[in-house]
Amino acid sequence: MAEGGFVVAICQYGGEFTSGPNGNLIYKGGEAHAVDVSREMPLDSFKDEVSKVFHVDVTDMSFKYFLPNNNRTLITVSCDRDLQRMVDFTASAAQVDVFVISRVENRSIVPYTGASTVKAGSNAQADKRKRPASKSKTSKSNKKTPIATSAAVQTNTHDINQPSPVVTLNDYNEEFQVEFGRDVAFVATDGSVSSDPDVLNQDKLALVDTEREPTGIIDDAINAYDGSEIIIDPPPELTYNPNVFWDDIIKGVGQEFDNVKDFRAQLCKYAIGKGFVYRFIKNETTRVTVKCVGDGCTWRLHASESSRSEKFVIKKMTDEHTCGGVGGEGQRRATRQWLTAIIKEKLRENSTLKPKDLVKEIYEEYGVLLTYSQVWRGREVAQKEMFHVMRETFGHLPWYRDRLFQTNPGSSLELSQTVDTRRVFVAFHASLHGFANGCRPLLFLDKVPLKATNEYKLLVAAAVDADDGIFPVAFNAVEDDNYDSWVWFLTQLRIALQYHNYPFDAMTFLSNGQKGLDAAVPHVFEDSHHAFCLHHIMEEFRGELRKGPWSQQIRDAMVEDFTRAAQACSIDEFNASIESIRNISTEAADWIIASKPEHWSDAVFRGCRYDHFSSNIVDVFNNWIPTKKEGSMVLMIDSLRIKITETIEARREACKSWEGPLTPSMEYKAQDEMSKAGKLTVLCSSETLFEVRGNGICVVNLANWECSCRRWQLSGLPCMHAVAVFNRIGRSFYDYCSKFFRIESYHLTYSETIFPIPDMDTFDFSAGATIPPPKPRTSDKPRRKRFNPNKTTTLIRLCSRCKQAGHNKATCEALL
């Protein structure tokens, strides 16, 4: 085996297949990147690295490689154990070629050799997912079961499992003979593919699919997060093409944007990446409708504000061009905001670029032809905005940080400025102290949508107090919400909490698990637990169900079963809910299992989220920042300081009239549990163990504050079975409640005060029409000469008197 259990994976992607002279397929072009793979590396981490180096979403792609001395059979990597085997089998060679192939491409590269009839609807969106291979049946990895039935169409009749030779040519001009159509997946000794998360109890939870990554019910992949750290820089000879990233920036119905400006900006990039022109049917602040300008083209999109949140959501989309406009032909439509953003990126790389150079580069890279005056005006706007950013970063923010540290010791305000990024982390001492001393170890991570700017994103980490009120802990302004920005935010948050001696061993985070969050949280907080927002998963599930043939009533029934599966306290209850869905649709049940229930179902989640299933509680921050102050980070941070101060003062005043050990909201939940315990029968087994009989039998352990129904452990409040035991032995309910629900903890949460920042009115923090000072002419620069003395004269002028050259009439010496 290679030293340390490492091999170098030469990952290849982006080429295209052509037919060879012998009927074989030749794989040409594309990119090749080297990635270090260790035996302990999870498959998810390997996919993250590949996604980052190629800048593509690899969720719906297959990873294949060759065994040593065998270039005829491709081996599929579908789980962590497969990746370990790849390292073991290729350790002697110290390197292995890994082919990153999309599933559609993998099916389409089989050469056409005949025709057969297949029912309409048997496409990539209607294919069933792979099931574990049984001992008695041969695995048929390429056969799909159509869902919809309609008229027949013609397609391939020959056995697609027969291998067809393929010659691949990578960037190193190495040729490999490849056979597609014979996929091999290693199976465990029991005959099933071992790709399940270790956190799941395989003895009880048997409804686990062979695929780790979630795919659509109709074989549509879920959007993956944006990769992780880059292992190796791309080769310098590879040209960066942003259109590769923009042609799928619009996903479809249900996609959310921060505001209407963000939607218009992404739509502009999408149209440029796809190569078509659109026009607005409606263009308002609350709704936007666009269509392709091609004659009779059916492409159309409608988006509007969401009724449940302040985000902009795509409501309808016909994603099909009948005009042939997709493919890079035709003049793109560029907006002023898009042009300014592109020019700023180029000026950061080379500040001496002239408008004529920008015109040429923009046309070569994006296919957008602009006039000199358009680029000149865009360059002026870009220079103004860049100057304001520099002035704020190196002037206003350091000034504000010094004043904050003077008036609020223990606060944190960190700045990070590079060529491409600008990040600001802020956490006030009162917020850090309140979370560390009075709040339960539960943090919600999300992004606060801004209404007036797309220059940066605002990330937030919030907690809940003893009365289930939202308590802000930290904010972070970053260039974009991706893996790197979340890692930086969480790292700064960890450092700030360490200053307050906060223990990290029992923390639970709740987020949507997207944009790199599912990888960033365990990277920074190794021993923490990460729960996914049930609301986001539910919306994805509803979107997948809308693609199927089920009625609205059946879809609602499956959604209710999904909700019960998420709130199930035991694996048996979870399996019962999944089995109810499986009776209706096997594909829907497989999709749920593949969506990582260990992150959202109480039955298998190892952390404690205190009955909180959604991260949307941070929507309360949407109106905290006035629109006119979003243009300046200093004004935005100070607006947050003012709102947090008002919240602390208001809640500190409201709790003065509270009585009892628990806060009002917790007292209401306690009374609800007490009302359910009247008809339960209690049998005493020992001083601490009790058997409670009702609809079932539960065991209560007072020594460990546990009940076999697991409601006590999950919520932090004694369940009705524990209440029945308390009534039997004469003990107080409140003695067994978590300290995080008591009024004392509420007082500790709001015990500190945020003090005002002096001299805030002495600075002009607005962006305004600020322009950089003009560059003075250097003294050593020679003045431009109006006439070139070395220029050859082509026009000969004659004297009007003597008709001779070399002089004029005034200097003519000829006699009259």
Side-chain angles (χ1 to χ4, degrees):
M1 181 176 293
E3 181 179 351
F6 281 87
V7 297
V8 178
I10 303 176
C11 304
Q12 303 180 49
Y13 169 78
E16 60 181 8
F17 290 94
T18 59
S19 179
N22 299 326
N24 58 346
L25 296 177
I26 301 176
Y27 189 81
K28 294 183 178 180
E31 302 178 22
H33 292 275
V35 177
D36 291 336
V37 181
S38 65
R39 195 177 187 278
E40 295 76 21
M41 176 181 284
L43 180 59
D44 289 349
S45 299
F46 179 66
K47 288 184 177 182
D48 296 346
E49 305 298 347
V50 175
S51 175
K52 195 67 175 181
V53 298
F54 285 115
H55 304 284
V56 295
D57 184 0
V58 298
T59 303
D60 200 30
M61 296 185 182
S62 300
F63 291 79
K64 303 176 185 294
Y65 69 98
F66 287 116
L67 292 175
N69 302 322
N70 181 3
N71 289 342
R72 297 184 61 83
T73 305
L74 278 174
I75 308 300
T76 301
V77 180
S78 59
C79 63
D80 292 345
R81 183 57 183 153
D82 288 346
L83 191 64
Q84 293 176 3
R85 291 191 181 97
M86 184 188 75
V87 176
D88 294 342
F89 295 152
T90 60
S92 59
Q95 70 178 27
V96 57
D97 290 89
V98 179
F99 301 91
V100 184
I101 305 170
S102 65
R103 296 178 182 176
V104 175
E105 180 185 359
N106 193 16
R107 292 192 292 267
S108 63
I109 59 179
V110 181
Y112 178 84
T113 56
S116 71
T117 58
V118 177
K119 293 182 179 180
S122 177
N123 50 27
Q125 285 73 25
D127 294 338
K128 287 188 177 180
R129 301 186 52 212
K130 299 178 182 179
R131 301 294 299 153
S134 63
K135 296 182 179 179
S136 60
K137 296 183 179 181
T138 304
S139 175
K140 301 179 182 180
S141 59
N142 289 328
K143 289 189 176 182
K144 306 292 180 178
T145 302
I147 293 179
T149 59
S150 183
V153 295
Q154 299 297 318
T155 185
N156 190 358
T157 80
H158 286 249
D159 186 4
I160 62 176
N161 287 324
Q162 294 297 326
S164 57
V166 177
V167 176
T168 67
L169 183 65
N170 63 6
D171 287 350
Y172 304 104
N173 294 325
E174 299 172 339
E175 294 187 357
F176 303 93
Q177 188 162 357
V178 186
E179 293 179 357
F180 288 91
R182 182 183 294 175
D183 297 345
V184 179
F186 290 101
V187 297
T189 56
D190 59 352
S192 60
V193 179
S194 58
S195 62
D196 307 330
D198 295 336
V199 71
L200 299 180
N201 189 337
Q202 302 303 325
D203 295 334
K204 296 182 179 180
L205 186 59
L207 303 173
V208 180
D209 195 82
T210 60
E211 300 273 355
R212 283 198 56 143
E213 294 296 330
T215 58
I217 296 176
I218 316 298
D219 203 19
D220 278 343
I222 300 301
N223 301 331
Y225 61 87
D226 294 335
S228 60
E229 296 175 323
I230 298 177
I231 292 294
I232 186 171
D233 293 333
E237 63 271 11
L238 295 179
T239 303
Y240 168 74
N241 185 8
N243 292 344
V244 175
F245 309 95
W246 291 351
D247 58 1
D248 62 347
I249 200 170
I250 300 294
K251 306 296 183 182
V253 176
Q255 184 178 359
E256 294 182 345
F257 303 88
D258 291 345
N259 48 52
V260 66
K261 290 185 177 180
D262 185 27
F263 168 73
R264 293 191 188 113
Q266 303 304 323
L267 178 63
C268 176
K269 294 179 181 179
Y270 177 76
I272 292 175
K274 285 289 188 180
F276 71 95
V277 184
Y278 62 89
R279 67 181 180 89
F280 289 99
I281 305 300
K282 290 184 178 65
N283 188 15
E284 305 172 1
T285 57
T286 58
R287 58 178 181 173
V288 174
T289 303
V290 295
K291 69 180 297 293
C292 180
V293 299
D295 294 337
C297 185
T298 60
W299 189 92
R300 188 182 180 95
L301 186 148
H302 174 75
S304 61
E305 286 187 351
S306 174
S307 57
R308 57 178 176 80
S309 64
E310 296 189 7
K311 295 183 178 181
F312 217 74
V313 183
I314 296 179
K315 301 296 182 62
K316 297 179 181 179
M317 182 177 180
T318 304
D319 191 15
E320 181 180 359
H321 286 271
T322 59
C323 62
V326 178
E329 300 296 334
Q331 170 62 25
R332 278 79 159 184
R333 171 173 179 163
T335 62
R336 181 177 61 85
Q337 292 78 8
W338 176 85
L339 178 60
T340 303
I342 295 300
I343 292 178
K344 283 195 292 186
E345 293 179 1
K346 294 187 174 298
L347 291 180
R348 292 190 187 104
E349 299 174 359
N350 184 6
S351 59
T352 61
L353 284 175
K354 296 181 179 180
K356 63 179 181 180
D357 301 326
L358 293 172
V359 171
K360 180 180 179 181
E361 291 188 9
I362 291 175
Y363 178 74
E364 291 177 351
E365 295 183 14
Y366 305 97
V368 178
L369 182 60
L370 301 171
T371 63
Y372 180 92
S373 59
Q374 288 174 330
V375 176
W376 185 88
R377 288 192 295 267
R379 183 170 174 265
E380 289 292 307
V381 176
Q383 287 180 333
K384 292 178 183 179
E385 293 182 359
M386 293 174 66
F387 177 75
H388 168 69
V389 169
M390 298 298 293
R391 187 182 68 159
E392 186 178 55
T393 303
F394 296 102
H396 299 165
L397 285 172
W399 177 89
Y400 188 86
R401 179 178 56 184
D402 295 339
R403 297 296 190 276
L404 178 64
F405 290 168
Q406 292 174 5
T407 56
N408 295 269
S411 300
S412 177
L413 198 156
E414 300 296 331
L415 308 177
S416 175
Q417 174 73 25
T418 63
V419 176
D420 300 325
T421 63
R422 182 176 64 141
R423 298 168 180 172
V424 180
F425 170 86
V426 59
F428 300 101
H429 170 71
S431 298
L432 296 172
H433 179 273
F435 173 71
N437 294 275
C439 294
R440 64 201 83 171
L442 176 65
L443 277 178
F444 300 83
L445 303 176
D446 205 349
K447 178 182 66 174
V448 178
L450 302 176
K451 305 179 183 63
T453 181
N454 295 323
E455 293 295 322
Y456 47 83
K457 312 295 182 182
L458 183 62
L459 311 182
V460 59
V464 286
D465 57 29
D467 198 43
D468 272 347
I470 308 303
F471 184 74
V473 178
F475 295 90
N476 191 23
V478 294
E479 73 285 353
D480 195 8
D481 53 331
N482 51 36
Y483 172 82
D484 294 331
S485 60
W486 277 112
V487 167
W488 191 84
F489 178 31
L490 294 175
T491 301
Q492 300 302 323
L493 177 61
R494 184 184 180 96
I495 295 173
L497 291 176
Q498 284 178 342
Y499 180 80
H500 290 77
N501 301 320
Y502 188 81
F504 301 106
D505 53 348
M507 286 194 66
T508 298
F509 292 88
L510 184 57
S511 72
N512 57 19
Q514 300 176 359
K515 299 292 186 178
L517 269 170
D518 56 344
V521 171
H523 177 78
V524 180
F525 294 88
E526 299 86 356
D527 300 326
S528 65
H529 305 282
H530 189 192
F532 292 168
C533 175
L534 182 61
H535 172 78
H536 286 78
I537 301 176
M538 193 76 68
E539 288 299 317
E540 293 177 2
F541 185 60
R542 287 194 177 100
E544 296 296 336
L545 292 180
R546 282 193 290 266
K547 301 176 183 178
W550 306 286
S551 64
Q552 184 63 40
Q553 183 178 2
I554 295 178
R555 291 200 294 263
D556 293 341
M558 286 194 284
V559 169
E560 292 178 2
D561 289 331
F562 188 14
T563 304
R564 283 192 291 268
Q567 299 176 353
C569 297
S570 65
I571 293 180
D572 293 335
E573 296 176 2
F574 176 85
N575 282 339
S577 300
I578 298 300
E579 189 62 29
S580 177
I581 297 176
R582 192 179 296 278
N583 293 334
I584 301 174
S585 171
T586 302
E587 292 83 0
D590 292 342
W591 186 94
I592 294 175
I593 293 299
S595 63
K596 301 180 180 180
E598 67 271 18
H599 289 287
W600 51 263
S601 176
D602 278 341
V604 289
F605 182 63
R606 300 308 181 197
C608 184
R609 49 188 174 181
Y610 301 93
D611 283 344
H612 285 281
F613 293 89
S614 174
S615 62
N616 289 346
I617 63 171
V618 298
D619 291 343
V620 70
F621 303 120
N622 290 345
N623 297 321
W624 275 30
I625 304 174
T627 303
K628 62 181 180 181
K629 295 186 177 181
E630 290 182 1
S632 170
M633 282 193 178
V634 176
L635 294 179
M636 183 180 66
I637 293 173
D638 199 62
S639 299
L640 294 173
R641 180 192 62 81
I642 294 173
K643 292 296 294 186
I644 296 175
T645 303
E646 294 175 354
T647 301
I648 291 177
E649 295 296 333
R651 294 180 179 177
R652 186 188 299 165
E653 185 68 24
C655 71
K656 291 181 179 180
S657 59
W658 293 355
E659 297 180 355
L662 300 181
T663 59
S665 63
M666 295 300 131
E667 181 65 29
Y668 177 82
K669 294 181 180 179
Q671 294 297 328
D672 183 56
E673 293 294 334
M674 292 179 184
S675 63
K676 301 176 184 177
K679 299 181 181 180
L680 300 179
T681 303
V682 179
L683 301 178
C684 181
S685 300
S686 66
E687 293 182 357
T688 58
L689 290 178
F690 299 86
E691 182 179 304
V692 182
R693 295 178 178 270
N695 295 331
I697 300 176
C698 293
V699 178
V700 177
N701 189 336
L702 295 184
N704 298 332
W705 289 26
E706 293 179 352
C707 179
S708 59
C709 73
R710 299 188 69 238
R711 285 296 306 158
W712 192 354
Q713 299 93 296
L714 294 174
S715 65
L717 286 175
C719 61
M720 61 181 180
H721 307 105
V723 174
V725 173
F726 299 154
N727 296 337
R728 169 69 183 274
I729 63 178
R731 295 191 183 181
S732 174
F733 173 91
Y734 303 105
D735 294 339
Y736 292 89
C737 294
S738 173
K739 66 176 182 179
F740 300 115
F741 302 147
R742 299 182 178 275
I743 294 181
E744 292 81 0
S745 296
Y746 192 88
H747 290 163
L748 289 174
T749 302
Y750 300 100
S751 59
E752 295 292 328
T753 302
I754 300 179
F755 298 97
I757 305 296
D759 303 329
M760 278 296 295
D761 55 348
T762 60
F763 269 76
D764 180 18
F765 298 104
S766 60
T770 308
I771 59 174
K775 296 181 180 179
R777 177 187 291 271
T778 57
S779 58
D780 57 341
K781 184 176 181 180
R783 299 185 65 87
R784 194 177 76 175
K785 297 180 179 179
R786 292 183 176 273
F787 299 100
N788 186 358
N790 300 323
K791 183 179 179 180
T792 303
T793 304
T794 59
L795 178 62
I796 300 177
R797 298 184 180 275
L798 302 179
C799 176
S800 61
R801 175 180 296 177
C802 64
K803 310 302 180 183
Q804 300 295 322
H807 63 276
N808 55 17
K809 179 180 178 180
T811 58
C812 182
E813 298 178 354
L815 298 175
L816 296 175

